[in-house]
Amino acid sequence: MGRYVTQRLMLAGLTLVLVSIIVFTLLRVVVPLVYGDAVDIIAAEYGGTDPELVQQLKDDYGLSEALVPQYLGWAGSILRGDLGESLFNGRSVTGEVADRLPVSFELGLVGLISSVLFSVPMGVAAAVAQNRWPDYFLRTSAILVDSIPGFWLAIMIITFGSIWFNWAPPLKFEYLQDDPIAHIKIMAMPALLIGLTPSGSLIRLVRTQMLEVMRQDYIRTARAKGLTGRTVVFAHALRNALLPVVTVIGLSLPGLVAGTAIFESIFSLPGMGQYLVSSVGNLDYPVIMATVFIFSVLIVLSNLAVDVSYTFIDPRVRL
Amino acid sequence: MSGPNYWQRKYTRRGMLAKGATAGLGTAGFALVGCGGGDDDEEPLDLESIPTADATKQQEAKSILWPREDTTAKATKGEIYQAYTTADVTNLDPLASPSFTANQAGSWYYPRLLSYKPGYKVPSKGEVQGYLGATWEQPEPTRVVFKLRPNAVWENKAPLNKRAIDAEDVVFSWNKFAAQNTSRKDLAKLPDNPSGPVESVKAIDKTTVEFKLQYPYAPFLSAMAYSRYLQVMPRESDGGYDPRNEVRSGGPWILDNYQRSVIFQYRKNPDYWDANNVLLNGFDIPIIPEYAAGLAQFRAKKVWGFAVRQEEIIQVKKEVPELALDQGAHGRTAWMTYFGLKPGTPFADDRVRRAASMLIDRDLWIDTFYNVSQFRTEGYPTDVRYHSHISAGWEGLWVDPKSNDMGEGKINFTKNVAEAKKLLEAAGYTSAIESEIAWIATGQYGTTFPKNAEVIKGMLEESGLFKLKQVNPDYQTDYLPKYYFAKGDFSGIAVGATTAYPEVDQFLNAYYHSKGARQKTSFQGTVIDQKSDDMIDAQRKELDAGKRAQIIKDWQKYTATKMIMIPYPGQSPAFSLFWPWIGNAGVFRAWDTESGRDTTETKLWFDKSKYTG
């Protein structure tokens, strides 16, 4: 497995180089052609398109060089752990990411864990009770959960929470290390809501996989041996049914982390989503390139983690 | 809302939504109202004809309004005010940031030479009073000398450590403003802005600073009070600390904590020269970008005031009767519909622009967005005004477009489809003019703005005289460079916001003068209205207030005949809701909100006896 992981890591490195080239090309070549340059935007904000001002800004922001040296400089900085500085406030992107990524990651991870803890038992229950009322109820609930956008539910909860219970979520963010109780109070609601989003699909996926596995010969054999239903379901069926579920879960983590922007906005959380959205509005290249690159790293690592996890879930898989 | 307003009834009846002309406005309310025939000759709405509530109801409504009681005598010091804002700042340097958000934040901690005198229970008149500049004199029309407060010091934080604020700080700040600020061309005489009024600034001694003007500039003192111009920063901000991310206060508040995307926390500056008269200990200002989330926080009493939309004011007040309801003054911003003016475009012809203006049903638009008819029915006071080419809020300067004082331009502010048709035919357009209409659909101008623009588009198209394709450019990458700052070099029509200048000259000069920083009235010098330019120049140099007002009035009358831009239809003073434990709320009224940190926020206090949170 060590060799496989090494190979995958090397491939991941190559993927990230390609991603970095694509991201750089898109932002420094394509976007300026289609929309204009960040310095044009800044110059416009200063009330003019004076070529001298534009050139001065380009010099200030290190955008005057040819593209290849710019790319190499940026890539080299990333290798040194320096993600650059925001064009608009000069703050270190590395510092901002260090503050914000844990928030988004925690939201995504807790959301995912809650989603799994909720969906897997529901999916199993639906499969075990196939075509009976618990199954109908759970399937209908899954479709309902799938249909309701999480951000809408968040707004409804906040709105009616304030009207009926005089309740609103906390306004001041506290980090876990500073005030764990306050932190949990702040993060619990958005994390659970984020977790709700993929839950509908997961319930249905678990149910389908369980039904398929439950029809296998070895399940029939297990029952014939006189094993209890509980042992058959949890010890034999579930483990095999989870293989594709793990794939979906693993691959959804980066999406959950990257997709927290709207929840961060509703609950005033200092995460990566808000950071990326505001930098896109300003065409703040260093921030956009860094955040997109970080999300790419997350996706690549998640893929790797999913593949490696197969060996633990299914002993037949040899890497 | 208790029911659909006139605009909703009318436009539903006409099938506007079905045509897609007001896409995005559809709500359940639209679908519920009745249907029936309609035609384009239907009379425009007349808000004056809407019956008001009877005297008893009016009295009841009036008694609900916040009494604006001055409670300073019984005020207790301390506590943190719970406010909110909707966005982060780009950075914390008000003189060098590319965005006005830095000026808004800077107004908390960097002082200005002057400040606006607040109104006492009535709107401020925009007169100035001392701030960092204790006194000033104008020994000659082109020279203004400020004497700084001798006891003004910077915050007790390295590298300033309570250093006295001196004239060199002012000179440093002016030089930085003139070199880097987005509004520098409004004030500074520069190689690329030779008409800027301020020629130079120099320190006479430690506490005396002199401004040399290149001509007598009537609004100069007001400009020195404006938070988006000269905020005074310490010299040490050039290398001694990073002003984009750190603050050294010289005003009443220090920035104690700024957690990006989460909260600003301002605290009373103990070294402020007038600290004894600051009642609160500070302000917590969480960032709440979502309207619904903000309203929920407001209802839950976690923020003490909130900009509840006008169409929801009555409903929220009924649901939470203990909320205080106050009515503001007329605002002084007039947003606008403006035109691409390339040669050959239909809009280069003033007859086409005037025709477009005649298609706007102003009363209907105002009723839609200010909820006037419902407020009237409920007995609340309303005062509907049309904007001329300056905002209806410029008391003493504004010419009422509905009155005969507007002269021959009055007709252009009245809905008249038949007359518009004639104008277009005279201009050679016998069929619908096909063009684009652009506005930003994102939130930079607030959540109501896209709806404002959609209704204008709907009104222009309703007559069949215009056929407009909607374009929603990106604010930063498309709208600002290609429309807002494009000097008319675009196709079609654009709807946009304007800066809320505190002095009308700055507005006229920025937007209407052919050399203005944000001018929209000329295309690369080929469409210049010299008469308009001359009048704008004349008023800024006229030191006699009466004569100056007359020039500004004459300019409005003249511009109304040209309709170089179509101003926003109009307004009615907005209502606001807040919790009643804000002592002195509404008593000391700022000229503009962000310039009142030293005059109004310092006088607020927490009335614990009314607190129910």
Side-chain angles (χ1 to χ4, degrees):
Chain A
M1 190 168 79
R3 193 176 161 202
Y4 173 78
V5 172
T6 310
Q7 282 177 343
R8 285 296 306 269
L9 282 172
M10 288 170 68
L11 193 62
L14 186 63
T15 307
L16 290 176
V17 170
L18 286 173
V19 166
S20 70
I21 292 172
I22 291 169
V23 169
F24 184 87
T25 309
L26 279 173
L27 279 164
R28 297 293 297 114
V29 180
V30 179
V31 170
L33 282 176
V34 178
Y35 291 109
D37 214 322
V39 288
D40 294 329
I41 294 168
I42 297 171
E45 287 266 10
Y46 280 106
T49 49
D50 178 4
E52 278 183 24
L53 175 65
V54 170
Q55 189 53 47
Q56 184 200 323
L57 288 168
K58 282 187 174 177
D59 292 344
D60 290 348
Y61 297 142
L63 302 173
S64 316
E65 283 185 280
L67 287 172
V68 173
Q70 272 191 56
Y71 170 75
L72 292 176
W74 175 65
S77 300
I78 285 183
L79 287 175
R80 292 192 300 275
D82 175 8
L83 297 172
E85 288 181 352
S86 161
L87 296 184
F88 285 81
N89 57 32
R91 289 170 76 96
S92 157
V93 179
T94 313
E96 284 276 348
V97 168
D99 286 343
R100 290 170 179 268
L101 189 59
V103 176
S104 295
F105 195 75
E106 183 185 343
L107 276 178
L109 191 64
V110 174
L112 189 61
I113 291 169
S114 62
S115 176
V116 170
L117 291 178
F118 174 71
S119 309
V120 172
M122 296 295 115
V124 171
V128 170
Q130 187 189 7
N131 293 337
R132 284 179 281 142
W133 72 262
D135 181 30
Y136 295 135
F137 172 75
L138 288 168
R139 280 159 67 191
T140 308
S141 303
I143 290 169
L144 194 67
V145 167
D146 242 359
S147 317
I148 297 174
F151 69 86
W152 180 84
L153 194 60
I155 288 174
M156 288 300 109
I157 288 172
I158 291 177
T159 299
F160 289 100
S162 71
I163 293 173
W164 292 335
F165 309 110
N166 210 21
W167 170 90
L171 280 170
K172 186 170 181 292
F173 183 79
E174 297 286 356
Y175 285 95
L176 184 63
Q177 62 272 24
D178 298 335
D179 188 342
I181 303 293
H183 180 81
I184 290 167
K185 280 184 183 171
I186 292 162
M187 296 291 273
M189 177 72 74
L192 290 175
L193 286 167
I194 286 170
L196 199 62
T197 308
S199 293
S201 312
L202 269 183
I203 290 172
R204 289 190 291 159
L205 180 64
V206 171
R207 176 184 177 275
T208 308
Q209 291 302 315
M210 280 295 290
L211 288 176
E212 198 175 318
V213 171
M214 298 277 274
R215 293 192 187 103
Q216 300 290 317
D217 288 345
Y218 71 89
I219 297 293
R220 195 174 303 118
T221 305
R223 288 190 197 283
K225 278 162 62 182
L227 293 177
T228 62
R230 181 182 296 248
T231 309
V232 169
V233 169
F234 289 105
H236 294 271
L238 181 59
R239 194 166 177 184
N240 288 305
L242 280 184
L243 205 59
V245 177
V246 167
T247 308
V248 171
I249 290 170
L251 296 182
S252 62
L253 179 60
L256 286 180
V257 174
T260 55
I262 185 73
F263 293 95
E264 290 170 10
S265 175
I266 292 170
F267 290 93
S268 300
L269 302 173
M272 290 289 286
Q274 283 212 64
Y275 192 41
L276 179 59
V277 169
S278 63
S279 61
V280 167
N282 288 330
L283 271 188
D284 198 343
Y285 299 138
V287 179
I288 302 171
M289 291 194 295
T291 46
V292 171
F293 186 74
I294 286 164
F295 287 141
S296 308
V297 172
L298 269 180
I299 290 168
V300 168
L301 291 181
S302 298
N303 271 312
L304 182 60
V306 167
D307 287 351
V308 172
S309 69
Y310 288 165
T311 59
F312 297 103
I313 296 167
D314 188 348
R316 292 170 303 176
V317 176
R318 291 277 178 269
L319 298 178
Chain B
M1 286 173 64
S2 59
N5 65 21
Y6 185 88
W7 186 88
Q8 290 167 321
R9 291 198 299 274
K10 179 172 177 174
Y11 277 80
T12 302
R13 192 161 65 246
R14 291 178 179 206
M16 293 294 285
L17 290 171
K19 285 188 222 168
T22 53
L25 276 171
T27 64
F30 285 76
L32 287 171
V33 290
C35 56
D39 58 62
D40 290 342
D41 297 328
E42 187 170 337
E43 284 297 307
L45 172 66
D46 179 8
L47 279 174
E48 300 303 323
S49 68
I50 293 175
T52 52
D54 59 36
T56 315
K57 204 166 181 184
Q58 282 187 43
Q59 196 53 44
E60 275 173 21
K62 209 171 177 183
S63 69
I64 292 172
L65 289 179
W66 180 247
R68 295 182 192 163
E69 184 191 354
D70 186 346
T71 51
T72 310
K74 62 174 184 179
T76 51
K77 289 186 178 179
E79 295 295 336
I80 306 296
Y81 187 109
Q82 303 300 318
Y84 83 103
T85 186
T86 56
D88 262 315
V89 294
T90 309
N91 66 46
L92 298 173
D93 185 342
L95 294 179
S97 167
S99 171
F100 66 91
T101 54
N103 297 79
Q104 289 180 329
S107 64
W108 285 90
Y109 37 80
Y110 290 125
R112 302 176 304 279
L113 286 170
L114 299 175
S115 183
Y116 293 108
K117 201 181 285 182
Y120 183 68
K121 300 187 181 183
V122 294
S124 165
K125 291 175 181 167
E127 294 161 347
V128 296
Q129 63 182 27
Y131 188 3
L132 179 61
T135 59
W136 65 95
E137 58 180 13
Q138 199 157 1
E140 47 196 91
T142 55
R143 205 158 64 89
V144 185
V145 178
F146 292 93
K147 199 79 184 160
L148 307 188
R149 289 181 191 277
N151 55 345
V153 297
W154 293 109
E155 186 181 346
N156 188 14
K157 196 171 177 184
L160 280 303
N161 299 323
K162 295 173 78 169
R163 173 175 73 68
I165 304 176
D166 61 26
E168 289 300 338
D169 288 324
V170 179
V171 174
F172 163 81
S173 300
W174 171 261
N175 290 338
K176 185 171 178 177
F177 171 86
Q180 298 183 49
N181 194 268
T182 53
S183 301
R184 65 193 184 283
K185 288 185 178 176
D186 292 347
L187 283 188
K189 182 187 176 192
L190 300 165
D192 61 343
N193 187 45
S195 61
V198 180
E199 205 162 75
S200 63
V201 179
K202 68 175 180 185
I204 304 293
D205 59 36
K206 206 82 175 138
T207 57
T208 312
V209 64
E210 178 190 275
F211 281 71
K212 181 90 178 71
L213 310 178
Q214 69 162 328
Y215 50 81
Y217 180 52
F220 176 73
L221 294 177
S222 173
M224 291 298 102
Y226 184 35
S227 65
R228 296 196 185 175
Y229 288 157
L230 187 61
Q231 295 189 20
V232 178
M233 296 175 68
R235 302 189 293 281
E236 289 80 350
S237 62
D238 186 14
Y241 69 95
D242 176 7
R244 292 188 295 182
N245 295 299
E246 295 173 52
V247 166
R248 301 293 183 272
S249 173
W253 310 101
I254 57 176
L255 181 60
D256 188 50
N257 175 40
Y258 171 33
Q259 195 177 2
R260 293 187 72 79
S261 308
V262 178
I263 196 166
F264 297 86
Q265 289 181 297
Y266 297 102
R267 294 293 178 264
K268 182 175 170 175
N269 179 3
D271 301 312
Y272 177 54
W273 61 83
D274 198 22
N276 282 341
N277 289 319
V278 178
L279 299 175
L280 286 162
N281 274 352
F283 286 77
D284 276 358
I285 308 182
I287 298 163
I288 311 175
E290 292 294 323
Y291 176 83
L295 185 57
Q297 296 287 357
F298 178 53
R299 282 175 177 272
K301 304 173 185 178
K302 289 190 173 178
V303 296
W304 295 356
F306 185 73
V308 177
R309 290 175 181 152
Q310 292 304 294
E311 60 265 36
E312 294 175 19
I313 287 271
I314 290 175
Q315 182 192 337
V316 174
K317 173 67 180 164
K318 282 180 177 170
E319 287 172 3
V320 192
E322 61 267 41
L323 282 170
L325 176 72
D326 196 16
Q327 188 177 29
H330 273 285
R332 291 187 312 280
T333 48
W335 295 4
M336 55 184 64
T337 299
Y338 55 101
F339 303 96
L341 295 171
K342 288 178 178 178
T345 178
F347 304 107
D349 188 325
D350 63 3
R351 289 170 295 189
V352 176
R353 300 193 302 266
R354 287 166 54 208
S357 180
M358 287 178 185
L359 299 177
I360 306 293
D361 189 338
R362 287 170 168 76
D363 274 354
L364 193 52
W365 190 96
I366 295 165
D367 189 32
T368 302
F369 294 107
Y370 288 88
N371 207 16
V372 173
S373 50
Q374 196 187 3
F375 280 123
R376 286 173 73 98
T377 309
E378 295 282 339
Y380 291 99
T382 58
D383 176 21
V384 173
R385 293 181 185 177
Y386 289 179
H387 293 306
S388 68
H389 282 79
I390 64 172
S391 166
W394 289 106
E395 305 286 354
L397 300 174
W398 166 72
V399 178
D400 183 355
K402 286 190 275 191
S403 76
N404 289 331
D405 293 344
M406 187 50 88
E408 60 179 292
K410 178 185 173 184
I411 189 175
N412 296 329
F413 289 90
T414 310
K415 187 179 178 189
N416 191 334
V417 177
E419 190 61 31
K421 205 170 182 177
K422 278 186 208 164
L423 280 171
L424 290 179
E425 282 170 359
Y429 298 97
T430 50
S431 58
I433 293 177
E434 293 189 27
S435 187
E436 287 185 348
I437 183 165
W439 67 82
I440 59 162
T442 42
Q444 284 84 352
Y445 295 157
T447 51
T448 310
F449 168 74
K451 295 179 182 178
N452 297 164
E454 281 164 12
V455 175
I456 286 171
K457 174 179 181 280
M459 288 178 171
L460 290 176
E461 287 192 313
E462 186 188 20
S463 62
L465 299 178
F466 288 92
K467 196 173 170 187
L468 302 171
K469 183 184 167 198
Q470 178 178 329
V471 180
N472 296 124
D474 178 78
Y475 174 69
Q476 292 278 9
T477 56
D478 238 7
Y479 176 72
L480 285 181
K482 294 179 184 166
Y483 295 91
Y484 189 71
F485 288 116
K487 302 177 194 296
D489 185 11
F490 63 91
S491 300
I493 306 172
V495 186
T498 62
T499 296
Y501 287 104
E503 225 294 337
V504 73
D505 166 76
Q506 294 141 8
F507 178 71
L508 296 181
N509 210 55
Y511 287 95
Y512 290 100
H513 197 286
S514 66
K515 292 188 172 59
R518 292 161 168 78
Q519 56 89 358
K520 313 216 176 307
T521 58
S522 67
F523 169 65
Q524 295 174 350
T526 59
V527 185
I528 289 178
D529 188 330
Q530 195 57 50
K531 185 174 176 183
S532 171
D533 275 7
D534 290 345
M535 292 168 98
I536 293 171
D537 287 339
Q539 62 79 29
R540 69 175 1 199
K541 293 172 185 172
E542 178 55 66
L543 298 182
D544 182 296
K547 287 180 185 168
R548 183 172 173 236
Q550 192 53 53
I551 297 171
I552 293 168
K553 287 178 180 176
D554 290 343
W555 175 85
Q556 290 169 74
K557 288 161 68 176
Y558 170 71
T559 306
T561 64
K562 299 289 180 187
M563 205 48 80
I564 195 75
M565 287 179 265
I566 304 176
Y568 250 30
Q571 63 187 17
S572 181
F575 290 90
S576 59
L577 289 170
F578 51 88
W579 288 101
W581 51 79
I582 306 174
N584 281 341
V587 176
F588 302 96
R589 303 176 78 84
W591 177 242
D592 73 76
T593 49
E594 68 193 67
S595 300
R597 313 299 185 208
D598 61 314
T599 53
T600 51
E601 273 83 342
T602 50
K603 294 184 171 66
L604 298 176
W605 66 284
F606 173 64
D607 189 347
K608 205 171 183 178
S609 66
K610 293 181 179 169
Y611 185 61
T612 57

